[in-house]
């Protein structure tokens, strides 16, 4: 492949992969939640070593994951409504 072949317009970009986004975001959120719960009992240990930010990073992951769930559910609903509108029913 020559340099610039992708940007020169000679090739089309592939279609985006559409998977189960709700399940993917939910799984990631659960992982962050488990990590948070597993680390909370050791807060003192983390704080003594200056690593308490690890715990708060996990909590931020949970919060962002919950926002992501709201987003992908709304997106899925909008895509479903659009498909129904286009199919006439």
């Amino acid at each position: 492949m020559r340099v610039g072949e992708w940007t020169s317009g000679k090739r089309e970009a592939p279609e985006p992969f559409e998977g189960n986004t709700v399940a993917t975001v939910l799984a990631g959120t659960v992982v962050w939640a488990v990590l948070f719960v597993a680390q909370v009992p050791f807060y003192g240990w983390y704080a003594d070593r200056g690593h308490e930010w690890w715990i708060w990073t996990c909590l931020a992951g949970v919060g962002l994951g919950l926002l992501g769930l709201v987003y992908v559910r709304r997106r899925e609903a909008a895509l479903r409504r659009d498909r129904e509108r286009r199919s006439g029913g």
Side-chain angles (χ1 to χ4, degrees), residues 1-80:
M1 181 181 326
R2 293 187 321 261
V3 175
E5 200 168 307
W6 282 101
T7 58
S8 67
K10 294 182 182 179
R11 291 184 182 225
E12 286 188 34
E15 289 294 318
F17 176 72
E18 291 291 336
N20 189 344
T21 54
V22 174
T24 303
V25 173
L26 180 61
T29 304
V30 168
V31 168
W32 282 116
V34 167
L35 290 170
F36 174 75
V37 170
Q39 290 179 354
V40 166
F42 304 102
Y43 184 83
W45 186 89
Y46 285 108
D48 291 345
R49 289 155 180 80
H51 295 300
E52 65 271 2
W53 63 270
W54 290 8
I55 297 171
W56 304 121
T57 300
C58 294
L59 189 60
V62 172
L64 290 172
L66 293 174
L67 288 173
L69 279 173
V70 170
Y71 177 82
V72 296
R73 283 185 168 174
R74 287 183 180 175
R75 179 181 179 272
E76 291 291 322
L79 290 172
R80 190 171 28 258

